Every structure is written in structure tokens, then in C-alpha cells.
Amino acid sequence: MIIPPLPTPFDQNGNLDAEAFRDLAQAIEPHVDGLLFYGSNGEGVHLTREERAAGLAIQTPRKPAMVGLMEETLAQAAIALSESESLGARVLVTPPRYYEANLGHDGLLRYFGGIADMGKAEVWLYHVPANTKAQLPLPVVAELAKHPNIGGLKDSSGELARMAFYASQKLALELYTGHAPTFLGALGLGAKGGILAVSNLAPKPYKQMLALWQAGKVAEAQALQAEVEPFGRVLAQGGFVLLKQALRHLGLPGGYPRPPYPNESPVWPTFKPLLEEFRARGWTVG
Amino acid sequence: MIIPPLPTPFDQNGNLDAEAFRDLAQAIEPHVDGLLFYGSNGEGVHLTREERAAGLAIQTPRKPAMVGLMEETLAQAAIALSESESLGARVLVTPPRYYEANLGHDGLLRYFGGIADMGKAEVWLYHVPANTKAQLPLPVVAELAKHPNIGGLKDSSGELARMAFYASQKLALELYTGHAPTFLGALGLGAKGGILAVSNLAPKPYKQMLALWQAGKVAEAQALQAEVEPFGRVLAQGGFVLLKQALRHLGLPGGYPRPPYPNESPVWPTFKPLLEEFRARGWTVG
Amino acid sequence: MIIPPLPTPFDQNGNLDAEAFRDLAQAIEPHVDGLLFYGSNGEGVHLTREERAAGLAIQTPRKPAMVGLMEETLAQAAIALSESESLGARVLVTPPRYYEANLGHDGLLRYFGGIADMGKAEVWLYHVPANTKAQLPLPVVAELAKHPNIGGLKDSSGELARMAFYASQKLALELYTGHAPTFLGALGLGAKGGILAVSNLAPKPYKQMLALWQAGKVAEAQALQAEVEPFGRVLAQGGFVLLKQALRHLGLPGGYPRPPYPNESPVWPTFKPLLEEFRARGWTVG
Amino acid sequence: MIIPPLPTPFDQNGNLDAEAFRDLAQAIEPHVDGLLFYGSNGEGVHLTREERAAGLAIQTPRKPAMVGLMEETLAQAAIALSESESLGARVLVTPPRYYEANLGHDGLLRYFGGIADMGKAEVWLYHVPANTKAQLPLPVVAELAKHPNIGGLKDSSGELARMAFYASQKLALELYTGHAPTFLGALGLGAKGGILAVSNLAPKPYKQMLALWQAGKVAEAQALQAEVEPFGRVLAQGGFVLLKQALRHLGLPGGYPRPPYPNESPVWPTFKPLLEEFRARGWTVG
């Protein structure tokens, strides 16, 4: 499966544009295998509680939905969990961050285990250190994988030694990578698919790479991996600011970042020709 | 001035204990020169918006009050700012964190400048990378210091090269350190005082060190600095979990951390004898 | 190809044991595709110039030989290069380290280009940041790949985004990974083989994994990768100290580390059962 | 005491210029309290063993001499120690670096203790992580301070929490900072003086700051600290490359870096006006 972590559109005044959010989701959904709201590129942490709920209430996904949950304590997590309940979505949960040094392994187990015990949604572990700057130690993952309500893991670190560990431990978790530049390497080490920012713009070559890999056409998958590597690498440099700019360029309702984030990315001049080339090949959504 | 960043008490069920919060503030206030709510040890990021407001509404400070403001966007900051308005407090503002890589110097200037422009409270810059894991680059500080509504800076990094820079640039900012183990070094490099977690427990020796320094009694200040260094160093290792445990030990209404954070710190066995010694010398609040 | 970075045996008094060195090389050579002397685990930086020369002079490799070259300046590199000349070996060159901040991209180009221009040996780039703590930026690699006398690259970082970059840029370099835990991921992203510390002890499963991969038997390769992952991961934790202890356990002349390094690794209790299991399966050299 | 870590002059062909080295030492010595050869800026790691010995043999210091010793094992350290024996110099010893992860606290104790046990020279601990990228943990320092032949410590990290720790533990070590931008902060926390790259160029204001501090003229010392902070901060950015360029600009025989290091620093345009201003005030050596 290839799933996009959708960006959350704001208008030029910094207000949540819920209708654009729904339109964007509907525009991308036919090209992908599911939708992730408020993931690493989703600016969920830029929203008030009411805005987060409003952004989900308007959605009408037909394919499996996921919601990122980036809270600091169990009390806050319980509230966030109730927001996504009506969607029947899985939740991707990141570790607490602020007082990480005072949490310890036991605290991490209490946090993820506590949310899973609430039973409101299937829990996936979500390791995205570039944004959270928090660690999710491997022994903690191994322990949490035993919980019946923890079903998967999205690892966006690009540290494929982590993926290799998950596979060798035969953890009862569905494994997804969030790091496009190493996508084929992650498949080789046991990932089942990708939850990839690039798939907001151009899911096609990643779906194709996954299909080639699954069909045992390794050399063709490798050729495609080499072709798309710059696209994923450069998009990661520009982050959600670049992603929204690229969506607007394709005519999609990606909207704008919430201030003080800028509307335009310094990486755009490098990314634009890659995007144009992908569009010329029929790989983009727009 | 010596000012404590107050912890925020929760009861054993993880509910905000607003009355304990007020009682704690009132117990400590006579011994210090002001109060900081929701600072680096204050678990402000563990509260809902309503809880944060309730925790402030009950306070009755007579000395200068400060409130930590740890948001990600200007829209969220505007809401948080309104919470602290009735206290007439200064706000200590940390930089956005999640998408730091996509913000840039201009974005940081827009963020801090934007809050200062709102005119609701005097703004202090707040650099506490151990918690925020975000940077506040020196050129950004130098630029922001020119804003008429940005009046001070709390630097908890302990990187005294930063303090030396602030002093050499003659920035129009009141400089405070948040790093107890290097307190005297910070004074030497231009800090005017400390906003120190240790001063929740034992403000006396730090007030004394400041007074000795200001009176030119350098050798005595140095002797005191050497005596209290372990207290500050070990408390920093245990963070707010240890601070609350120590307050409870002194009979003060420090309450408990919010789950999943633990009630007891692994550092307590090392810290307890230091605390007992300080109590025996009449240095503690309790 | 699977190639071991040989450790360099010292006796229990810390003296180079050149004969043990030769015997070790001869014992391992039949099981592998070449030999690397003074690589990341080879303690080349623990030897005097005369010792380094003596350790090479005694060798009688029949398969391709490589020599690690870990100097700081071109003048020192010229001397080190002459040591390995008689072996006709390729040299694996790491970047200067001490004053890395003052070298810059141009300095790196001058260093590697300068050694390649000496024409004494084919140069391979050698990125092993766990030991050197130095960076080898991707644009520098891309530029150096154009040099006719720079023919390959060993990347031990385990950062497979680097491997993905090399492949996408179609660099004229033979690519080898030095990171066993992600071996199959590296093959997926374009590596041709491994220069792996594990292959001093147990080359067989890695050779087999490579053969399975090349034969398109991906699922079998993946199963093997998952089986051997702990072996590589744990050996990396213990480094050359553990490697030598394991060689001695197998009855091979691995010798001892040079003091002040310890003879026994704290990781041995975790590694020993993995080694025993590999021996029981007939996978070890000894 | 203010002591310069002398750079080591090479000619434009990259050959050691021993006479220039001696001339440079003689030119600077009258302005300072001692001389450090092969320290953090000294390029000792860029020299062969023979060159290092030749560079010392020509020296005629009248003031206390120190020699940096940056080896990886005890066997190599014994050789390096013999080089500096005739000077009667103290040795400043950095920790082993390459296999730091496999050394452990015991290994560090064996290394420093072993050198001290050789009895050839008084040993000082030398912590300069910007170059060595190696750690010298505080408990190790505390343990080593008990050795009768370990007499001092140069800490160039600028992490003044380390200095505060040394002072609070009342370690039997003479404490020197190697970090000019925080010089006065280090004095406040117990340092006795500085071994400072800036004192190759302009020892005067640092000697004056130290004298003011010792005389209890704190406010004047602080004013001077603020004035010279940019000089130290910018020189640190440019390192030995900038230092040599500045020495040449002053007409002193600083020579050139050894290739592949560049002759000119990108930081020079920022540093030159600071140097000119210091010269105009009569603060420079030349």
C-alpha cells in the first residue's frame, strides 16, 4: 500500500480551509491506497483542538483512514483519540517529547500501552524523529509489538537498521516506511509499503515500484528507485512548505502553511524541474 | 532577582490540582523575587487550553509574574497570550519546534516579532533546548532585541558562549540564566539573575550568591557556587519528576507528574542527601 | 564479493604479532573474496609507520588486497601509500578529521584527488563515521567519482540514503557496504557486495545471501537477512575488541587489542550464544 | 597565566619550517607566560614522528613549555613522550578517539594513568572535543585527578558546566580554559588562566583581564570581556587556517597550513577588521 500523509490547507490569512482539505483528500484518494490525516507533514500540531476535529468531521474517505496523534500525556491523548473516533481510523502515535529524558522506557510503555488499552482505535507506532526529535528505542518497540491492539509501525527515520531489526525480531506489526529516498531498501528489509509525502504529488511510480518488487522484477524496481530518488530527497529538504507549494503548482487545493511558516520554499528552484518532469511523464496527481 | 519556574501539581489521578498550584506559589513566593508559570519545568505543554487558563486564574501573585508560552504558530500563540493577560504577566516565548527546518531565520523573526506586535504582554525570548530541542540562533536574538516590546531573555542552555555574545553585543535585553550549575559564570558574563528550578526548593543560597557577587565579594561567591553546584547539577538530571518528588519530601504541595510520567525519579537516591543537607542548613523553603 | 576487514593481532604485551597476522589472513582468505588490511576494525591507527609496513610485508594474499589509509594530510598519505605499494593493493582512503571544519569541500577534493593523482594505487573512498567521526558529503563523492583513478567506495555508515544517492547518480564507483545489519537493504539500493567485519568470523551466510539476491531468490535472501541481523548488530556494538575475542574463541589467531583497549568486551555475553549458534550451523571460519 | 597554543609553520610547499617555528615562538614568548607546542591549533597530528621531534629540538623556551600529545595507544604515547623529554615540558594528553566506543572508563583510566606512570613528564588532561571529537567524562577526570603525576587540565570545550564541576569537586588540578569567548566566565568558575589561540595574536587584553579579575576589579574585567568576545569567537570559527593567515598579516612567521588545508580562510573578511582594531590599540604581538 502507498498512502499519503496529507497536508492541511490554510487560506492566505492562516485560517484552516476545511473544504479545501476535503477536496484535496478527494482528489488524491483515487490514486492511493488510503489517507493519513495530521501525519508528519500534516500540521496537526498547528491546529487547535476544535480545528483538528473540524478538519476530520468534513472528510469522507472510502479507503482506510489513519490519523496522527502527537500528544504529550495520556489525558491529552484521550481527547485527541475521541476526535478521530467517528472516522474509524487507525491512529499513528508519536512518543512524548518535551520531557523525554524523564520518561524512560517504562513511561513509553505506559504511554503507548495506555492509548492502546483505551480500545478506541487500532494503534500504530509512529517514529518520525526529524519532526518530533524524540526517540522510540528498539527494545520499546519490541515490547509494544506484543500488545493486541498495536498493529503497525510507520518509521520515517530512514535509518534502515531499524527496519532490519523489526524484521529480524518477527514483530507482529505491519511495517511501513515514511522515507521515500530509501523506499526499495525498506522493502528489501521487510516493509510492506510506504506512507510517503511524495505520494501526495506522484503516487504512481511508487505504486509501480511496489508492484514490480512484489512481482519479483527486482532489476526494474531498482531502475525506478534510482530514477525517483532525487524527487523524494529534495522534497524532504523542503518539507510541508515545499509540498504545499508543489500542490498549488499542480492546481491542487494544497493551500498555504500557517504563519509564521513561509508560503514559498527556498528549495523550490531545485524541486520544480523534477516536478515538471514527473508531470510530463504522467506521474503526478494533478 | 531569583525566580522559580513553578511546577504544576497534578493529583494522583493525573488531574490538575489548581488549589495546590496556588498554595505552592504562595508558599514559595515570599522567598523569591517573582514567579514563572508554565516554564521549562512547568508542564504547560501537558495541559489543555482550559486547564492552562484555570491554573492561572486561581493565582494571586504579588511579585512580578511570568508565563511560559510554548506554541507552534501565531494563531495558537494569540490564544495562549489571552490566557495570561489578566495576570499582567510577561510571557517567555520559545521558538516553534516541529518544522524548525522549514521556518528559517525570517520565520523566527515573524514569530517572535508577531507576538510582540500583538502588544498584549512584554515578550521575553526563552531558550531551553533540553526541552524544546529547538534552536534560537544568535543573529536572530540580536535582531529581535531591537523590538521595543521584547525586553528580556531566559537562556537555560548552559552554553555560556551565548551569554558572552549577548553581553558583547550590548543587546537591549534583561539577561537571565536558567542553568543553575553555571550560575556564577553566567553572572560573570553579564546575566542579571536566575530563573532557576532549584529556587523552588532552596532559593536562599542562590539569592546569597547573587548578593555577594553584586557586593564585589567574589571569593565568597565562588565558595558558595562550588558548594551548591552538585545540587543544581543533580536536579537537572531528574527534571520536573525529581523536583516534584523533592517538594513532596519537604511537605510542599508539589503534587505529581501527569501520566505517563513517573511519580518517582531514578535520581532521587543521589539527590535526597543533598536536599537533606540543604534543609539542615536552613536553605530550603519547606 | 564479500571481503573481511581483518583485525591486526597484538600479543598480550601489546606488541604487533606479524606472524599471527599472516596466519589469520591465510586462515580466512579461502572463505572470502579478498582481504582488507587496516580497515575500520584493523587498528591501523594504533601502529607506528614501521609496524604498519612490517604487517603488510609479511602478507601473501592470492585474492585482491585492499589497504585502509587513514591520514590527515597529503604528505602523510604519500608515505602511507608507499607502504602498501608492494601488495598492489587498492587503498581505501578516509577523510582528514582533526580540522574538518577548516577543510571545506575544496580541501576534501584536493585530498582525495591528490592521492589519486599520485598514481600509486587505485583509490576507493572510505566513509566510516563511527570511527573517523568525519563526514564525506554527497556532493564531494559525486565530484570525486569523475576521477579516473577513483574506482570504488566503501560506506560503513548504514545510512542507506547515501547508498540510494550513489545509485541514482549513476556514479562510476563500485559500491560496497560496510554495515552488516542492513546488508540486503544495501544490495537493494545498488551495493555490489560487502566489506564486513562479520565475514572474519562467518562469511558463509553473507556470501549465500549475496548469491540468493543475485539469483533473484529474494524471499530466501530476506529470510537469511532476518536470521543474521542480530549477529551483525551485536558485533558492531562490541567492535574490534569483541571481534578479536570471538576469533580467539574460534581458535583463530586474532590476538589481543593494543593497550589501553581491553581484552574482553562487555558485549561478549550477548554475542557468544549467537557465535555458538553460527558455529553449530557450520557458518564460522574456525 | 596566559599561554598560546602555537601554530606550526609549513612553507608554501607543505614542508615543516622548523626555523620559522622557533622564530615564531621567540617572537611571541616575551608577551606570554609559557608556550604550548602541538596543541589544538598546532597541527601536531599533521607531522611525522621525525618532524615532530625536529620541531621541538630547535626550540629554546625560557618560560614553561607544554607539549600536546594526541596518540591512540600507550605504545604510541611512549614514543611521543620521549620526543618532548629534552624540553622538560608538561604534556597535555587527549583521549584516544578512533575506537572510543570500545574503550570505556577503565580504558581511559589505563591510558592516562599509564602515561602518568611512565614518569617522564607531568601530565595534564586535555579536553578539546572540537578537534578530537572524543569525550572525557567527568567521573574519569575526578578519578584521574588523584594521580600524583597528573597536575592540570586544559578544557577547550567552552562547556562551563564542566569547569563548575571541577571546582565543586575541589580536584587537585590546575584548571585552564582553552575557550576565549567565555574567558571571564571560566575564571568565575575557578579557572586559573587561559591557553588561548587568541594569545598568539593579542595576549595583552587577556593578560589584562586576568589581572583585573585577580585584583577584584570585576566591572572593568567584564567591560574588557565584552570588548574582546568577538575576536575570540570569530577566530574559533576560522581555526588554525585563519590564525596563520592573521599571523602572516601581522608580519609574524606563522607560515602556511599543510595541504590539503587551504592558505586562506573564508572567515578572514570578518576577522580582518577585528585584528586591525586590535593592532591599532597596541594589543597585537606584531
Side-chain angles (χ1 to χ4, degrees), chain B residues 5-6 8 16 21 36-45 47 51-56 66-70 83 92 126:
Chain B
L6 291 164
T8 302
L16 173 66
F21 196 8
L36 168 59
F37 303 95
Y38 307 147
S40 49
N41 278 293
E43 282 182 271
V45 295
L47 298 172
E51 288 170 331
R52 271 202 327 250
L56 292 181
M66 299 172 153
V67 177
L69 192 155
M70 301 184 161
E83 294 162 16
L92 273 62
Y126 191 4

Side-chain angles (χ1 to χ4, degrees), chain C residues 49 97-98 100 110 133, chain D residues 50 97-98 100 133 260:
Chain C
R49 201 164 65 221
R97 303 166 287 275
Y98 255 84
E100 188 187 12
R110 270 196 301 275
K133 301 173 186 175
Chain D
E50 293 78 6
R97 302 166 287 277
Y98 254 85
E100 187 185 14
K133 300 174 187 173

Side-chain angles (χ1 to χ4, degrees), chain A residues 1-6 28-29 31-37 39-41 63-67 90 92 124 126 154 156 174-180 183 192-201 203 206-207 210:
Chain A
M1 291 209 301
I2 298 293
I3 295 170
L6 291 163
I28 295 175
E29 192 175 19
H31 305 276
V32 293
D33 302 310
L35 296 170
L36 167 59
F37 302 96
S40 48
N41 278 293
K63 294 183 177 169
M66 300 173 150
V67 176
R90 288 174 177 132
L92 273 64
W124 283 37
Y126 192 5
K154 176 185 176 187
S156 300
E174 279 194 70
L175 299 176
Y176 277 75
T177 180
H179 191 253
F183 183 50
K192 291 302 168 214
I195 305 179
L196 302 171
V198 288
S199 64
N200 285 292
L201 298 166
Y206 296 91
K207 291 196 67 163
L210 180 56

Side-chain angles (χ1 to χ4, degrees), chain D residues 104-119:
Chain D
H105 282 203
D106 282 354
L108 282 167
L109 295 175
R110 271 197 301 275
Y111 184 67
F112 288 101
I115 295 172
D117 287 344
M118 292 176 195

Side-chain angles (χ1 to χ4, degrees), chain D residues 15-37:
Chain D
N15 297 313
L16 173 67
D17 188 342
E19 296 188 6
F21 196 9
R22 181 201 55 208
D23 294 348
L24 180 67
Q26 291 181 349
I28 294 175
E29 191 175 21
H31 305 277
V32 294
D33 302 310
L35 296 170
L36 168 59
F37 302 95

Side-chain angles (χ1 to χ4, degrees), chain C residues 40 43 45-47 49-50 72-74 76 97-100 102 107 110 131 133 238 240 259-262, chain D residues 40 43 45-47 49-50 72-74 76 97-100 102 107 110 131 133 238 240 259-262:
Chain C
S40 49
E43 282 183 271
V45 295
H46 288 177
L47 297 172
R49 201 164 65 221
E50 293 78 6
E72 297 282 347
T73 62
L74 282 167
Q76 294 161 299
R97 303 166 287 275
Y98 255 84
Y99 305 106
E100 188 187 12
N102 307 122
R110 270 196 301 275
N131 291 339
K133 301 173 186 175
F240 78 103
Y261 285 86
Chain D
S40 49
E43 281 182 272
V45 295
H46 287 177
L47 298 172
R49 202 163 67 220
E50 293 78 6
E72 297 282 345
T73 62
L74 282 165
Q76 293 161 300
R97 302 166 287 277
Y98 254 85
Y99 305 105
E100 187 185 14
N102 307 121
R110 271 197 301 275
N131 291 339
K133 300 174 187 173
F240 79 102
Y261 285 88

Side-chain angles (χ1 to χ4, degrees), chain C residues 15-195:
Chain C
N15 296 315
L16 173 66
D17 189 342
E19 294 187 8
F21 197 7
R22 182 203 53 210
D23 293 347
L24 180 67
Q26 290 180 349
I28 295 175
E29 190 174 20
H31 306 276
V32 295
D33 303 310
L35 296 170
L36 168 59
F37 302 96
Y38 306 147
S40 49
N41 278 293
E43 282 183 271
V45 295
H46 288 177
L47 297 172
T48 65
R49 201 164 65 221
E50 293 78 6
E51 288 170 333
R52 270 203 324 251
L56 292 181
I58 201 172
Q59 303 296 340
T60 58
R62 303 187 175 193
K63 293 181 177 170
M66 300 173 151
V67 176
L69 192 156
M70 300 185 163
E71 302 294 328
E72 297 282 347
T73 62
L74 282 167
Q76 294 161 299
I79 295 171
L81 203 53
S82 67
E83 294 162 17
S84 58
E85 217 174 345
S86 65
L87 276 185
R90 286 174 179 133
V91 290
L92 273 63
V93 182
T94 58
R97 303 166 287 275
Y98 255 84
Y99 305 106
E100 188 187 12
N102 307 122
L103 187 55
H105 282 203
D106 282 353
L108 282 167
L109 296 177
R110 270 196 301 275
Y111 183 65
F112 288 101
I115 296 172
D117 287 344
M118 292 176 196
K120 297 283 183 69
E122 183 184 320
V123 169
W124 283 36
L125 309 178
Y126 192 4
H127 183 54
V128 53
N131 291 339
T132 63
K133 301 173 186 175
Q135 291 306 308
L136 187 57
L138 295 176
V140 170
V141 175
E143 188 63 27
L144 289 170
K146 299 172 187 167
H147 194 294
N149 199 25
I150 298 181
L153 185 148
K154 176 185 176 187
D155 192 319
S156 300
S157 69
E159 299 166 32
L160 291 195
R162 295 179 63 93
M163 203 61 77
F165 172 85
Y166 306 143
S168 85
Q169 301 301 300
K170 305 192 194 317
L171 302 182
L173 295 175
E174 279 194 69
L175 299 176
Y176 277 74
T177 179
H179 191 254
T182 56
F183 184 50
L184 192 61
L187 296 181
L189 291 169
K192 292 302 168 213
I195 304 178

